[in-house]
Amino acid sequence: MNKNNIYKSFQTIIIIICLLLIFKILFEEEEIKNILINLNFYKFLPCILISVFITLFYSQLIFNIILATTKIKISSRKWLYIFLNSQFLDTIPFAGFFYKAIRLKKYNLEYKYFLYSYLFIFTVWIILYLFFFSIDSLLLFFFFENNDYLLLSIICILLATLTLFLIKLLNYLLKKLNFKKKIFIKLKLLIFFIKKNILKKKTLKIFLKYGIMIHLFEFVLYVIVIDFLQLDLSIRTIFVIFFVNSVIDFFPLTPKNIGFSELITGGLLSFIGFNFTSGVILKLFVRVSSLLSTTALFFLNNIFFNDEI
């Protein structure tokens, strides 16, 4: 059994365990009907609209960074078509990633630079979100006056700074050390690519612009979904739920963290005094809004602009 199959098997086991635990608790609580019966589904439409913006922000972030760091020649319309297709494939591990790589090869983006640009985006996204988590933790410190949040904020800042330092250190060491093996040469090229682009004003502006909008709109999405579900939660409690989900979803154990995020969100709401079912349904509707927004954008893109692809 190769590593890819082991990883897929591990993800499948995690999903099965999470779903079994979720269904066990849902059946014990018997709250689904009580929660869903009084919902006004017209109030869910703003959730879909917010998710449309989030999807487009992610798309434009990746598109603009690839344009800024590679020699790709592609229109924004063609990129959006490829990006939306890949979103559906992302439920299968790496399927969406490979789909984008194959399609973008036709637009003057070599596989090597596709990989480099995605690893660059991933690296900077980690650093950026560590800063966001630091600010979020600081807000939680002011909300709850708990020094643990202040400590978490400091740790996030230190980790972001350390990541930047490690990139510079690796770049320096790989320049000084003359490795002959292919793997070290490829690593050297990758680190050089990241180091060259990470402090460019153009790429920094792109990351800050779309990163801030994505973070804010994701928080707004949680506020609107919670209002739609008629959960009586204070804004600071909503912020805690959003913060925990942001951290968890940043490190997916399964594709899109299916099962695992629902389990954690259910447990969190149960911990703060609500039932487990409310947390699961909250996360489920966040997912549904994302799925519907991507589906709507995909069909609109195909109906009105298919002749350009």
Side-chain angles (χ1 to χ4, degrees):
M1 186 180 285
N2 59 39
K3 289 181 180 179
N4 193 35
N5 287 334
I6 292 171
Y7 181 63
K8 284 180 181 178
S9 299
F10 169 75
Q11 288 187 317
T12 304
I13 291 167
I14 293 294
I15 291 172
I16 291 169
I17 291 171
C18 288
L19 292 179
L20 286 173
L21 287 169
I22 288 167
F23 283 119
K24 179 181 180 296
I25 300 170
L26 290 181
F27 285 127
E28 286 175 354
E29 289 189 342
E30 298 180 345
E31 288 287 338
I32 293 179
K33 186 178 177 181
N34 295 333
I35 294 169
L36 298 180
I37 197 167
N38 295 317
L39 293 181
N40 179 359
F41 283 92
Y42 287 108
K43 290 183 73 175
F44 189 63
L45 292 176
C47 304
I48 300 170
L49 181 61
I50 291 295
S51 287
V52 165
F53 281 109
I54 292 170
T55 302
L56 291 174
F57 290 154
Y58 271 116
S59 170
Q60 287 304 298
L61 168 68
I62 299 168
F63 174 62
N64 282 288
I65 289 297
I66 290 175
L67 278 182
T69 58
T70 70
K71 296 179 180 179
I72 192 172
K73 296 174 182 177
I74 188 173
S75 68
S76 59
R77 192 64 58 197
K78 290 176 182 177
W79 159 258
L80 185 61
Y81 177 83
I82 293 168
F83 176 80
L84 292 173
N85 277 346
S86 72
Q87 290 294 97
F88 286 103
L89 293 170
D90 276 341
T91 50
I92 305 167
F94 305 112
F97 180 80
F98 288 123
Y99 168 80
K100 284 196 287 282
I102 292 165
R103 289 298 303 269
L104 294 176
K105 182 76 161 66
K106 298 175 184 177
Y107 299 99
N108 198 40
L109 184 61
E110 296 177 26
Y111 294 137
K112 178 175 74 173
Y113 286 106
F114 172 79
L115 178 62
Y116 285 0
S117 60
Y118 258 76
L119 288 173
F120 169 65
I121 291 168
F122 179 71
T123 303
V124 179
W125 200 241
I126 287 175
I127 295 167
L128 185 64
Y129 255 69
L130 282 169
F131 278 112
F132 287 163
F133 291 154
S134 175
I135 295 167
D136 293 344
S137 301
L138 206 56
L139 287 172
L140 290 172
F141 167 70
F142 288 121
F143 283 151
F144 299 106
E145 296 181 356
N146 186 327
N147 289 334
D148 289 343
Y149 293 119
L150 181 61
L151 179 62
L152 181 60
S153 178
I154 294 167
I155 289 170
C156 287
I157 285 286
L158 289 175
L159 285 173
T161 308
L162 181 63
T163 306
L164 280 170
F165 173 74
L166 286 174
I167 290 166
K168 289 185 177 182
L169 180 63
L170 268 173
N171 185 62
Y172 174 79
L173 291 174
L174 289 168
K175 275 183 179 178
K176 292 293 180 182
L177 301 171
N178 189 23
F179 290 113
K180 301 294 183 182
K181 286 188 178 180
K182 212 175 210 181
I183 188 168
F184 288 112
I185 294 171
K186 288 182 177 179
L187 178 62
K188 183 178 180 179
L189 291 171
L190 169 61
I191 297 298
F192 177 74
F193 181 88
I194 293 172
K195 170 68 168 54
K196 182 180 73 172
N197 291 296
I198 201 165
L199 295 178
K200 278 185 180 177
K201 284 186 179 179
K202 187 175 182 180
T203 55
L204 281 174
K205 283 180 181 178
I206 293 167
F207 275 112
L208 285 173
K209 176 184 174 181
Y210 290 106
I212 291 169
M213 288 194 294
I214 287 167
H215 202 58
L216 289 175
F217 271 70
E218 284 179 342
F219 174 65
V220 171
L221 177 61
Y222 274 85
V223 172
I224 297 174
V225 172
I226 286 168
D227 179 62
F228 160 69
L229 292 173
Q230 300 174 36
L231 299 176
D232 186 18
L233 295 170
S234 67
I235 196 71
R236 70 179 190 178
T237 304
I238 295 171
F239 191 82
V240 171
I241 295 167
F242 163 70
F243 177 73
V244 170
N245 273 275
S246 297
V247 174
I248 290 167
D249 288 341
F250 202 80
F251 304 99
L253 288 177
T254 63
K256 304 279 188 181
N257 249 346
I258 293 170
F260 185 68
S261 284
E262 284 77 3
L263 184 66
I264 296 298
T265 309
L268 179 61
L269 260 76
S270 181
F271 177 76
I272 62 178
F274 279 75
N275 55 63
F276 180 88
T277 306
S278 296
V280 173
I281 291 176
L282 165 60
K283 189 63 186 183
L284 183 63
F285 273 104
V286 169
R287 286 195 192 280
V288 169
S289 70
S290 178
L291 178 62
L292 290 177
S293 68
T294 305
T295 304
L297 284 169
F298 174 77
F299 281 112
L300 287 171
N301 203 43
N302 275 272
I303 291 167
F304 293 107
F305 305 104
N306 194 43
D307 56 328
E308 297 182 24
I309 305 303

